[in-house]
Amino acid sequence: MRSFIIFVFCLFIHPSFSDASAKSVKKEQSIYISLAPNVRVKFGTEKIRTALNNIGFDVKVIQVDRIPKGKKIVVGLFSDQFFKTVLPDSIKNRAISAGKEGFVISYGRDGTLYVVGADASGVLYGCIELADRITAEGKVPTHISLTDHPEMVMRGTCIGLQKTDYLPGHDVYEYPYTPETFPWLYDKQLWIKYLDMMVENRYNSLYLWNGHPFSSLVKLKDYPYAVEVDDATFKKNEEIFRFLTAEADKRGIWVIQMFYNIIIPKPFADKFGMKTQDRNRPIVPIIADYTRKSIAAFVEKYPNVGLMVALGEAMEGVGQDDIDWFTKTIIPGVKDGLKAAGIKEEPPIVLRAHDTDAPAVMKAALPFYKNLYTENKFNGEALTTYEPRGAWAELNRKLASIGTMNISNVHILANLEPFRYGSADFIQKSVQAINKIYGAKGLHLYPQASYWDWPYTADKTKTRELQIDRDWIWYKEWARYAWNSNRDRSAEIDYWGTELAKKYGTDLNGGKAILNAYEESGEISPKLLRRYGITDGNRQTLTLGMLMTQLINPYRYGVFTLMYESEAPEGEMIIDYAEKEWKKQEHIGETPMQIAKEVVEHGKKALKSINQASVTKDTAEFRKLKNDMYCYNAMANFYAEKVKSALWVLRYKYSNNVADLEQALPFLESSVKYYTDLVKLTENDYLYANSMQTKQRKIPMRGVDKTFIHWKEMLPVFTKELSHFKQSIDSLKNVKGDLTAKIIPYKNAEVKVLSPDVESYVLDKNVQVFSDTSAQIKEITEQLVGLKGLKLSKESQIKLGTEIKFSTKIPVKLLVGYFNQKDGKTLLPPQLEIDASANNYGQSEIKISNAVVVNGFAPVNVHAYSFPAGTHTLNLGKGACLLLGFIDDKQELRIFNAGLDGRGKDIDWLFE
């Protein structure tokens, strides 16, 4: 009794004692799940438990076959046995109607809080949603009745098991899985961090990109020599892959292993004297057998893994070979693996529509396999517009209507790297376009930057920064709108403003200012590329700038016109705008001058907004973000000034008035000053501008052995360009008439042609170019006159392709003429957009534009294939082309436009 009186006295004297005692008593909460829960249900339930623990609850998760009475939380699938008699029909029906990955969170009449999913993933997402609300409100919601489901069926991210450069003895995409090449692959904590990011953002698929992963993951009895890793590494690969797929499954994530066709492992290729990849190689039975058995072993061994197939690029695209390879090798391989494992559920097979006739392949495949998807790029290998149109939009709509589901791939982002990007507005509109314009129901998202250098960013730091840390907002924005793209815009500004305010320790206005900086800067790179660029592919690094010749003569560099026709609003290229200005014709749509003004304004607004924010958290990262805004601003002004200069230069093409060049000079000088600013802003902050550092990269400069990867390497190029332009103006002012480059004819190199029945001929006017037609040369540039061309059968080229065997004692170049037409009968020129091997011989760039005119054909562009001394076999694809002769590899090949298309003179010499 005395103790009790003392206790009561203490309560009155020290009320805080009473509070502390109350707080020390934890509230209890029970969560009921089925006796045999799915791994995703268990994982989701743990999310609720953690959230409740964090706000002071003592939580018990109880597995039962019958739900007891009383207030509680119950988690499960609507079809679970323990729900049979207690789940209210209204909640059950809502869960069923929610569909795949859908869920309901709602109270029953007895006060029970139900989290019910249409499937295991739906339960998982319902649990995460409830856990998020508990964390945000600091309590269990007292009133909630929510039904939700995702808009996009497939929502995936991509990781490339690839590198910034080639491995010794290997070609593009060929990277065996080893600790030396990919140390991060074996880091389980890093995988958990990444998978947690994915599930928090409701991603449900993870794509692993590699040329030929099977030789690192399976061993075949019939092909033991095909394995590319040692036994110890093989065991590590098995362990990490099983770990990864199991952890992904808990989080509702399909791991989808991508591979290219037809690539074979190096030991296999060496044994049979083959190349690891040969785009023009027909289907070889032993390669087909090896590939089928590899796929079968893979599917049997890793049952929770899907496959993504790239038929084009490494094998000749758009043809019967694609259909045969998919239906007679790949699908049978998957079925063999399922049969061996006793698995009935078909794993997803995603067909990459890149460089193949995907509708034809799907039509042939659907009778044999049902769980098929197609995947196609959103804006090529860049981000340019949320208003796609033209042929590309038509293709995507067709893919969405053929009976399989189409996935839109936000790919490489070569125009965004390496600066930070987080425009919620642009991304929301892009996802809306994926859905409404393309009809796609899936998202396949690449990293925002540094794809080839995963998992690190290009930031220059003492310890390499992870992409998922730096670019958190990139992943979060795409995921948010892949779940629901039709969110109210004003509410979204508040949402992202709040998220950014929390991250950087500022108020809501400060968060909104940061968001506005993201959104203003987020318009700059898309607008620049779609109006001035050469390509939507990663052979161009937009942030490194462009040469003047690339602006005034884009066709010389193989301009990818689809970008202008489909991945940009209707508008004009620089050369078209200049011609219309000269002819005083009306302009159409988005113009180069309009974009020059707009990007400069976007840069100003981005700087104003970022400078309004005062932050107290994560200040080091905010400094980098702020610096990126200054980088965007400098880049925008560099391009704007250079384009103004280019338009005056193009005016000179028509006027022959040197005064027009003098008008261009101040703008070019100004562009170099802005680029100098860009160099200063990036020199201490970035290791590189582009993570692709191989020979595939061409614009603004060819990248070989990691050269021209930083702005400081480009500044001397632009400075030299300016200096040469000044000299050209002076020369023009001091001579009468035009100043043009001196013509130096090419000389024949001594080469022994080993192919049988190949006739040679001397290039000149009025000579026959094919052995089986009367087509003759009508016009030819003087540099080519006198070379010994090789006369081949046009019909044979169309049906079988072109093969030439030869030997040489010195390094040589073979000049190949491509007709500038697309009709199915002429050979397409090398295109890095669709063929990663298109520059293996240095052949991707046009050396002489419009160099030859043959009766009945479009003008010919000349490309050069380089070969060292020795014996060689060159295989080209199907279609007519001209082999114009061999020249010494040392002989200078000045790049120019011969102008035989009647479109005007070459003025590139003004700058080089």
Side-chain angles (χ1 to χ4, degrees):
M1 183 69 183
R2 185 171 179 271
S3 297
F4 176 74
I5 293 171
I6 293 171
F7 174 73
V8 172
F9 176 77
C10 289
L11 289 180
F12 282 104
I13 300 299
H14 297 287
S16 60
F17 176 79
S18 174
D19 292 343
S21 299
K23 286 180 181 178
S24 68
V25 179
K26 284 194 172 185
K27 295 171 283 185
E28 292 187 355
Q29 177 68 63
S30 296
I31 304 175
Y32 291 92
I33 61 176
S34 118
L35 279 175
N38 181 282
V39 292
R40 298 175 190 178
V41 175
K42 290 180 70 175
F43 187 87
T45 303
E46 285 302 310
K47 290 287 186 183
I48 301 176
R49 183 214 288 265
T50 301
L52 288 169
N53 282 338
N54 289 340
I55 61 169
F57 278 88
D58 184 14
V59 184
K60 293 180 180 179
V61 177
I62 307 169
Q63 293 180 233
V64 296
D65 60 357
R66 187 173 297 176
I67 302 171
K69 293 181 180 180
K71 294 181 180 181
K72 57 203 166 288
I73 298 174
V74 183
V75 176
L77 281 75
F78 77 89
S79 57
D80 280 343
Q81 188 65 28
F82 76 164
F83 273 147
K84 193 170 184 180
T85 58
V86 299
L87 183 64
D89 286 341
S90 61
I91 295 177
K92 180 179 180 179
N93 292 335
R94 285 164 61 191
I96 294 171
S97 63
K100 186 176 180 181
E101 297 183 310
F103 63 85
V104 175
I105 305 174
S106 186
Y107 279 98
R109 289 183 178 179
D110 64 351
T112 297
L113 179 57
Y114 291 97
V115 181
V116 185
D119 51 26
S121 291
V123 179
L124 170 65
Y125 296 139
C127 289
I128 294 172
E129 180 66 30
L130 179 58
D132 286 349
R133 294 193 177 215
I134 290 170
T135 300
E137 297 176 24
K139 64 179 182 178
V140 179
T142 53
H143 300 284
I144 185 170
S145 182
L146 172 67
T147 303
D148 202 3
H149 63 89
E151 180 179 298
M152 293 290 178
V153 174
M154 294 287 274
R155 306 172 305 283
T157 62
C158 166
I159 289 177
L161 280 107
Q162 300 178 61
K163 302 294 287 183
T164 57
D165 50 6
Y166 294 171
L167 295 180
H170 287 269
D171 208 335
V172 62
Y173 304 134
E174 296 175 11
Y175 301 100
Y177 295 175
T178 68
E180 295 76 25
T181 304
F182 303 111
W184 56 265
L185 176 63
Y186 307 90
D187 186 341
K188 292 182 179 180
Q189 290 306 308
L190 180 60
W191 276 121
I192 292 296
K193 179 175 181 173
Y194 187 81
L195 293 172
D196 282 346
M197 178 279 293
M198 291 187 70
V199 72
E200 286 165 13
N201 286 304
R202 282 65 160 177
Y203 286 113
N204 66 0
S205 44
L206 169 61
Y207 299 81
L208 303 178
W209 279 59
N210 186 269
H212 187 80
F214 307 118
S215 57
S216 298
L217 294 169
V218 296
K219 291 180 178 179
L220 303 178
K221 180 181 177 181
D222 294 342
Y223 302 98
Y225 46 82
V227 179
E228 290 194 89
V229 298
D230 59 40
D231 288 344
T233 298
F234 188 83
K235 288 180 181 178
K236 288 181 180 179
N237 290 346
E238 285 183 314
E239 180 190 358
I240 197 65
F241 218 77
R242 285 181 175 135
F243 168 82
L244 171 60
T245 53
E247 290 297 327
D249 188 30
K250 290 179 190 176
R251 295 162 175 81
I253 298 166
W254 273 98
V255 175
I256 299 177
Q257 178 66 66
M258 179 270 181
F259 62 101
Y260 282 91
N261 292 279
I262 302 173
I263 295 180
I264 54 178
K266 194 172 189 308
F268 182 103
D270 291 345
K271 181 176 177 64
F272 293 101
M274 301 174 176
K275 294 181 179 179
T276 54
Q277 50 185 299
D278 184 348
R279 183 174 170 85
N280 300 304
R281 175 170 54 202
I283 293 175
V284 179
I286 193 170
I287 296 178
D289 185 65
Y290 161 74
T291 304
R292 176 173 176 170
K293 288 175 178 174
S294 294
I295 292 170
F298 181 80
V299 170
E300 180 184 4
K301 192 172 185 178
Y302 305 107
N304 193 50
V305 179
L307 292 172
M308 181 173 179
V309 183
L311 287 177
E313 190 158 349
M315 70 184 288
E316 186 175 7
V318 192
Q320 187 61 38
D321 280 359
D322 287 16
I323 295 172
D324 290 345
W325 190 254
F326 195 70
T327 59
K328 296 179 181 179
T329 297
I330 292 170
I331 290 178
V334 173
K335 287 190 167 186
D336 292 346
L338 292 174
K339 184 178 179 181
I343 299 171
K344 293 183 178 180
E345 182 185 4
E346 293 179 340
I349 302 178
V350 183
L351 172 66
R352 192 180 181 211
H354 179 72
D355 194 30
T356 191
D357 185 352
V361 175
M362 288 288 100
K363 182 179 180 181
L366 275 169
F368 305 103
Y369 201 91
K370 299 303 179 187
N371 197 14
L372 296 174
Y373 300 78
T374 56
E375 179 261 24
N376 205 32
K377 294 172 182 174
F378 175 53
N379 287 165
E381 296 176 344
L383 189 64
T384 57
T385 185
Y386 44 76
E387 297 176 321
R389 60 191 178 95
W392 198 246
E394 285 299 323
L395 172 60
N396 278 278
R397 283 192 286 268
K398 186 175 183 179
L399 292 171
S401 67
I402 60 177
T404 55
M405 191 171 296
N406 192 35
I407 299 168
S408 207
N409 176 206
V410 180
H411 192 89
I412 293 290
L413 293 313
N415 66 323
L416 301 188
E417 70 171 347
F419 307 138
R420 289 156 177 78
Y421 189 95
S423 174
D425 183 43
F426 204 107
I427 289 172
Q428 182 176 11
K429 289 174 180 175
S430 293
V431 179
Q432 289 171 346
I434 288 170
N435 189 353
K436 296 174 183 177
I437 298 178
Y438 284 173
K441 289 299 178 184
L443 170 71
H444 176 188
L445 182 70
Y446 267 53
Q448 186 252 297
S450 300
Y451 165 76
W452 303 93
D453 198 17
W454 180 267
Y456 304 114
T457 73
D459 296 81
K460 186 185 289 187
T461 53
K462 289 182 180 179
T463 302
R464 294 296 299 276
E465 189 172 6
L466 294 175
Q467 292 177 27
I468 56 171
D469 289 337
R470 192 197 87 157
D471 299 326
W472 64 276
I473 197 168
W474 171 262
Y475 290 105
K476 195 173 182 70
E477 286 175 343
W478 284 100
R480 181 171 174 82
Y481 299 120
W483 186 275
N484 179 7
S485 66
N486 296 309
R487 301 176 191 267
D488 177 71
R489 171 64 179 155
S490 59
E492 288 304 285
I493 293 173
D494 286 339
Y495 173 82
W496 292 111
T498 301
E499 289 293 302
L500 289 163
K502 286 190 294 186
K503 176 173 177 59
Y504 291 113
T506 184
D507 59 16
L508 181 59
N509 287 334
K512 287 183 178 181
I514 297 170
L515 174 65
N516 194 61
Y518 267 129
E519 295 191 339
E520 291 292 346
S521 64
E523 295 286 341
I524 293 172
S525 287
K527 287 183 175 180
L528 288 175
L529 187 69
R530 76 190 189 205
R531 199 46 54 205
Y532 306 149
I534 297 294
T535 174
D536 66 6
N538 65 169
R539 66 183 170 106
Q540 173 166 6
T541 304
L542 178 85
T543 56
L544 279 179
M546 291 174 67
L547 305 177
M548 182 62 84
T549 52
Q550 290 160 354
L551 297 175
I552 66 172
N553 188 12
Y555 286 99
R556 160 182 160 181
Y557 296 90
V559 64
F560 192 63
T561 55
L562 183 70
M563 178 176 66
Y564 289 93
E565 297 158 358
S566 288
E567 297 159 8
E570 185 178 19
E572 297 172 1
M573 295 173 64
I574 294 172
I575 54 174
D576 298 327
Y577 181 89
E579 184 178 4
K580 286 187 174 184
E581 279 287 286
W582 177 253
K583 294 178 178 178
K584 298 187 180 343
Q585 294 175 343
E586 185 178 351
H587 295 293
I588 298 173
E590 192 176 77
T591 68
M593 281 302 295
Q594 172 193 338
I595 292 303
K597 293 176 183 176
E598 288 180 4
V599 295
V600 168
E601 190 62 25
H602 286 310
K604 288 179 181 177
K605 289 179 178 178
L607 292 187
K608 182 179 179 182
S609 291
I610 203 69
N611 284 319
Q612 286 175 347
S614 177
V615 305
T616 59
K617 287 172 57 181
D618 212 349
T619 54
E621 170 59 21
F622 184 76
R623 186 204 67 78
K624 295 174 189 174
L625 174 61
K626 189 172 183 178
N627 190 68
D628 279 356
M629 296 303 146
Y630 280 86
C631 290
Y632 274 117
N633 181 66
M635 181 176 70
N637 280 277
F638 159 78
Y639 271 105
E641 294 297 284
K642 195 155 192 173
V643 166
K644 292 173 190 175
S645 179
L647 290 171
W648 280 107
V649 170
L650 286 167
R651 182 177 177 82
Y652 165 77
K653 183 176 180 178
Y654 302 102
S655 70
N656 289 318
N657 188 343
V658 179
D660 289 334
L661 299 181
E662 291 179 309
Q663 291 278 6
L665 183 57
F667 293 115
L668 190 58
E669 289 174 327
S670 180
S671 76
V672 173
K673 289 178 182 177
Y674 279 113
Y675 200 86
T676 303
D677 292 340
L678 187 55
V679 171
K680 293 175 182 176
L681 290 165
T682 56
E683 190 164 11
N684 296 318
D685 275 68
Y686 281 105
L687 298 170
Y688 55 75
N690 44 21
S691 60
M692 173 180 261
Q693 297 167 8
T694 62
K695 58 189 175 184
Q696 276 74 26
R697 186 169 48 79
K698 300 288 291 181
I699 312 296
M701 298 291 286
R702 185 182 180 207
V704 181
D705 299 327
K706 299 188 177 183
T707 55
F708 295 107
I709 64 174
H710 199 281
W711 299 265
K712 63 185 178 184
E713 294 175 89
M714 284 303 304
L715 182 57
V717 176
F718 293 133
T719 303
K720 183 179 179 182
E721 184 181 60
L722 173 61
S723 177
H724 196 289
F725 184 51
K726 290 178 179 179
Q727 293 172 15
S728 297
I729 293 173
D730 289 341
S731 298
L732 284 168
K733 290 167 71 175
N734 293 322
V735 298
K736 294 181 179 180
D738 242 355
L739 182 70
T740 57
K742 183 180 178 182
I743 294 173
I744 303 174
Y746 301 133
K747 296 180 181 178
N748 289 294
E750 188 174 335
V751 169
K752 184 177 181 180
V753 177
L754 303 176
S755 299
D757 305 320
V758 176
E759 179 185 348
S760 65
Y761 67 100
V762 178
L763 269 61
D764 206 344
K765 287 185 180 181
N766 304 318
V767 299
Q768 187 178 320
V769 295
F770 296 112
S771 62
D772 57 347
T773 78
S774 59
Q776 296 181 341
I777 294 176
K778 181 180 178 182
E779 298 288 343
I780 184 169
T781 186
E782 294 180 55
Q783 282 85 344
L784 299 177
V785 173
L787 286 182
K788 290 182 180 179
L790 303 179
K791 191 177 291 186
L792 305 175
S793 163
K794 175 189 170 189
E795 192 65 23
S796 177
Q797 285 184 314
I798 294 171
K799 290 182 178 180
L800 304 174
T802 299
E803 180 180 275
I804 184 72
K805 296 181 180 179
F806 63 94
S807 64
T808 173
K809 294 181 180 179
I810 62 169
V812 295
K813 287 188 178 77
L814 171 61
L815 303 185
V816 179
Y818 289 86
F819 296 102
N820 193 13
Q821 62 193 67
K822 296 179 181 179
D823 56 8
K825 293 184 178 181
T826 54
L827 182 62
L828 290 173
Q831 284 185 285
L832 284 165
E833 283 80 6
I834 61 173
D835 177 10
S837 65
N839 200 42
N840 282 1
Y841 302 93
Q843 77 272 28
S844 67
E845 189 174 60
I846 298 173
K847 298 300 182 183
I848 312 175
S849 308
N850 306 298
V852 182
V853 178
V854 175
N855 287 319
F857 292 87
V860 171
N861 294 328
V862 178
H863 295 246
Y865 289 68
S866 292
F867 299 90
T871 300
H872 306 280
T873 300
L874 175 65
N875 286 301
L876 300 175
K878 297 175 183 177
C881 66
L882 301 178
L883 303 188
L884 299 169
F886 294 91
I887 65 172
D888 191 317
D889 194 57
K890 294 179 181 179
Q891 186 165 1
E892 183 182 1
L893 248 179
R894 192 183 77 82
I895 299 171
F896 70 100
N897 180 7
L900 299 183
D901 60 343
R903 294 189 66 179
K905 62 185 180 182
D906 170 37
I907 56 172
D908 291 6
W909 57 269
L910 289 166
F911 300 94
E912 56 189 25

